[in-house]
Amino acid sequence: MTDRTQGTGGAPRRALGAKGPDELRAQIEQTRSRLGDTVEELAARADVKGRAKARAADLRDRAGAMTVGLRGTAAQAGHRAQEKATLVGHKAQERVGVVGHKAQERVGVAGHRAQERAVLVGHRTQERALQVGHRAQEKATSMGHRAEQAVPGPVTDAVQACRRNPRPVMIAGAACAAAVAAALLVRRYKRRTCQ
């Protein structure tokens, strides 16, 4: 058996008993404090509802932060796409103009036919772009409804803002489609004139 005054390795250890009433009171107070801390810690672990609320609040905050980040990223991507579409549109328009003048000088009738076809394809492309824009708007609205139901707070505000301003998205889509159509027409026309 080991002696209460002997610690590990045979080193003497302080006796467990108090030497006087003041020391005993201090030990009791210290034990009460530790016991109170332990009870608070156990109560916090047992409070599943409170922990779940804290976790939900944390997840809501994260979702809000992600929404803000996604909104910023989407806005930047939209601006970049719009700028690129405008640049491509201007370049395509310049190329179409030069090719159109040369073709008109060489063969006037062929130039008129190409212009009519370009207008027709442009209208078709514009219609398709509007349809794609409407579909994208419907999908965004549907996704917005799902997001609004899944995550309350800042996310619903962002979805409502997108629903109120769908026009810039549709304009960017139509501009991209028009630029692609113009590039395809230029390519087709170059192939025909080279043959």
Side-chain angles (χ1 to χ4, degrees):
M1 259 172 73
T2 58
D3 185 9
R4 288 182 154 190
T5 59
Q6 186 178 2
T8 57
R13 188 172 73 176
R14 208 176 101 203
L16 294 176
K19 291 184 181 177
D22 291 335
E23 189 175 333
L24 182 61
R25 284 188 193 106
Q27 286 179 358
I28 291 171
E29 197 58 41
Q30 186 179 16
T31 304
R32 280 184 184 164
S33 174
R34 281 186 285 171
L35 184 59
D37 291 344
T38 305
V39 168
E40 285 180 15
E41 189 177 318
L42 288 173
R45 287 183 184 176
D47 185 16
V48 175
K49 188 176 181 180
R51 288 171 47 200
K53 284 183 180 179
R55 178 74 173 148
D58 183 44
L59 289 174
R60 260 188 255 121
D61 290 344
R62 286 184 186 178
M66 286 174 57
T67 301
V68 170
L70 288 174
R71 254 192 291 173
T73 303
Q76 288 176 353
H79 289 304
R80 287 184 194 141
Q82 189 174 6
E83 289 173 358
K84 286 181 181 178
T86 303
L87 181 63
V88 168
H90 288 304
K91 287 181 180 178
Q93 189 176 12
E94 290 172 6
R95 289 178 186 164
V96 167
V98 170
V99 170
H101 287 299
K102 288 180 181 179
Q104 195 172 20
E105 289 173 2
R106 292 180 186 164
V107 185
V109 175
H112 287 293
R113 288 181 187 163
Q115 187 177 7
E116 290 172 2
R117 288 179 188 161
V119 169
L120 181 63
V121 170
H123 287 299
R124 288 180 188 162
T125 305
Q126 188 176 9
E127 288 173 7
R128 288 179 187 161
L130 286 174
Q131 289 173 355
V132 168
H134 286 297
R135 287 184 197 140
Q137 183 180 2
E138 289 171 3
K139 286 182 182 179
T141 302
S142 173
M143 289 174 62
H145 286 300
R146 289 183 198 154
E148 184 176 2
Q149 291 171 357
V151 182
V155 175
T156 56
D157 296 338
V159 170
Q160 289 173 358
C162 289
R163 273 195 243 149
R164 286 191 298 258
N165 300 316
R167 182 177 253 169
V169 175
M170 289 176 49
I171 290 172
C176 287
V180 168
L184 288 173
L185 284 175
V186 168
R187 186 175 175 188
R188 180 184 284 174
Y189 185 77
K190 282 184 178 181
R191 283 185 184 169
R192 285 187 180 174
T193 56
C194 290
Q195 292 178 353

